[in-house]
Amino acid sequence: MNSNAWGKGLLQWLEFSKLVEITIQGKGTIDGSGSVWWQDNCHLKFDNCIGVMVHHIRVSSPGDSPNTDGVHLQNSRDVLIHSSTLGCGDDCISIQTGCTNVYIHDVNCGPGHGISIGSLGRYNTRACVSNITVKNVNMHNTMTGVRIKTWQGGSGSVSGIMFSDIQLTEVQFPIVIDQFYCDKSTCKNQSSAVSVSGINYQRIKGTYTVKPVHFACSDNLPCIDISLTSIELKPLQEKYHLYDPFCWATYGELNTPTTPPIECLQIGKPTSNRPQTDHDTC
């Protein structure tokens, strides 16, 4: 199938809009002949939705297919995603600005880039994400596990996030917060940032292939209230010494010893933190 047959500028293969109480269910397979669409689409996208339920679906695209998010959420609330298997070339689930009250559980992810909040704040925009729970997830052969990614120059906040009971196998970077996200060769350094606070990691276990933990936060607006409990991450091959956990401007608490030790986390809160303006807050 040639995507040109659908007209220029078309971003959705099947689109449903301005509907109330819609249900799509039943057995079957949609073969999207995906390669001609990869540059433009996610598999499933929900924008400006309330009360979304996605369950018992299977998404299957190659790990090297670009821009093929499994499920893409933005400006949506009261979302439940469960009992599904997502394999793709980008985020298995991508949670963008305007999302709140999202519950994800019993999901298999891989290949792909894991489950991500963001990227947020691109082009100096304001982004707000809150009350997200990701629980009982298996990830195999993914680039990242659970990730928060924001651009320099943005504003707003990410808060009230729970990642728990995550089982990882051959994941490059299992736990990531990156407030310096950049998908091109160079990005301008900027002082403003999307604030990141109240992020809880519980019972995240498995194997990694590059670095177990990467917390890269803003000097002007450090990450605060980062809580880690029962983290057990081991290199896929014990004989190789891979990268140690990395933390920059990251504050919180270790509720239990971790494997490996995350000694770079700064306990408590920063002595000073730039106050958010009314424009920045969510």
Side-chain angles (χ1 to χ4, degrees), residues 58-124:
R58 183 181 185 91
V59 168
S60 179
S61 286
D64 60 355
S65 55
N67 300 319
T68 53
D69 291 357
V71 180
H72 182 96
L73 303 173
Q74 63 188 55
N75 301 310
S76 296
R77 62 180 173 88
D78 304 331
V79 178
L80 173 61
I81 301 172
H82 70 92
S83 306
S84 296
T85 297
L86 308 172
C88 51
D90 210 306
D91 298 322
C92 290
I93 300 175
S94 173
I95 302 168
Q96 301 291 330
T97 185
C99 289
T100 187
N101 298 339
V102 176
Y103 185 29
I104 298 163
H105 71 90
D106 295 288
V107 168
N108 295 312
C109 168
H113 292 182
I115 294 178
S116 295
I117 296 174
S119 61
L120 304 174
R122 191 175 191 180
Y123 304 127
N124 305 102

Side-chain angles (χ1 to χ4, degrees), residues 112 178 246 259 266 277:
D178 184 5
F246 173 83
T259 303
Q266 299 186 63
T277 66

Side-chain angles (χ1 to χ4, degrees), residues 245-281:
F246 173 83
C247 312
W248 184 267
T250 309
Y251 294 79
E253 60 182 350
L254 301 174
N255 294 316
T256 62
T258 62
T259 303
I262 306 176
E263 297 172 345
C264 58
L265 184 74
Q266 299 186 63
I267 305 303
K269 293 189 177 182
T271 55
S272 62
N273 209 18
R274 180 178 64 85
Q276 295 265 291
T277 66
D278 289 341
H279 172 72
D280 290 339
T281 56

Side-chain angles (χ1 to χ4, degrees), residues 72-278:
H72 182 96
L73 303 173
Q74 63 188 55
N75 301 310
S76 296
R77 62 180 173 88
D78 304 331
V79 178
L80 173 61
I81 301 172
H82 70 92
S83 306
S84 296
T85 297
L86 308 172
C88 51
D90 210 306
D91 298 322
C92 290
I93 300 175
S94 173
I95 302 168
Q96 301 291 330
T97 185
C99 289
T100 187
N101 298 339
V102 176
Y103 185 29
I104 298 163
H105 71 90
D106 295 288
V107 168
N108 295 312
C109 168
H113 292 182
I115 294 178
S116 295
I117 296 174
S119 61
L120 304 174
R122 191 175 191 180
Y123 304 127
N124 305 102
T125 55
R126 178 172 171 268
C128 299
V129 174
S130 63
N131 196 18
I132 311 295
T133 298
V134 178
K135 186 175 183 179
N136 293 331
V137 171
N138 292 311
M139 297 191 184
H140 175 70
N141 193 26
T142 58
M143 184 180 76
T144 61
V146 289
R147 173 170 59 159
I148 298 170
K149 49 182 178 175
T150 70
W151 291 78
Q152 293 183 79
S155 61
S157 70
V158 177
S159 63
I161 313 298
M162 171 65 78
F163 298 115
S164 72
D165 301 284
I166 313 292
Q167 185 65 48
L168 309 156
T169 308
E170 299 182 46
V171 172
Q172 294 180 41
F173 303 91
I175 298 175
V176 175
I177 297 176
D178 184 5
Q179 285 189 291
F180 302 91
Y181 181 74
C182 178
D183 64 358
K184 47 193 176 183
S185 58
T186 58
C187 289
K188 178 183 176 182
N189 287 328
Q190 300 182 67
S191 59
S192 61
V194 179
S195 72
V196 176
S197 65
I199 316 298
N200 296 287
Y201 301 94
Q202 296 183 2
R203 296 178 298 281
I204 300 179
K205 303 179 180 182
T207 59
Y208 66 93
T209 60
V210 180
K211 184 190 299 182
V213 174
H214 182 84
F215 290 145
C217 297
S218 165
D219 286 320
N220 289 332
L221 198 60
C223 301
I224 60 172
D225 296 329
I226 309 301
S227 173
L228 297 107
T229 306
S230 299
I231 308 299
E232 297 179 16
L233 300 170
K234 298 181 180 180
L236 180 63
Q237 295 178 305
E238 293 283 358
K239 64 181 179 180
Y240 294 115
H241 179 74
L242 303 177
Y243 289 99
D244 293 327
F246 173 83
C247 312
W248 184 267
T250 309
Y251 294 79
E253 60 182 350
L254 301 174
N255 294 316
T256 62
T258 62
T259 303
I262 306 176
E263 297 172 345
C264 58
L265 184 74
Q266 299 186 63
I267 305 303
K269 293 189 177 182
T271 55
S272 62
N273 209 18
R274 180 178 64 85
Q276 295 265 291
T277 66
D278 289 341

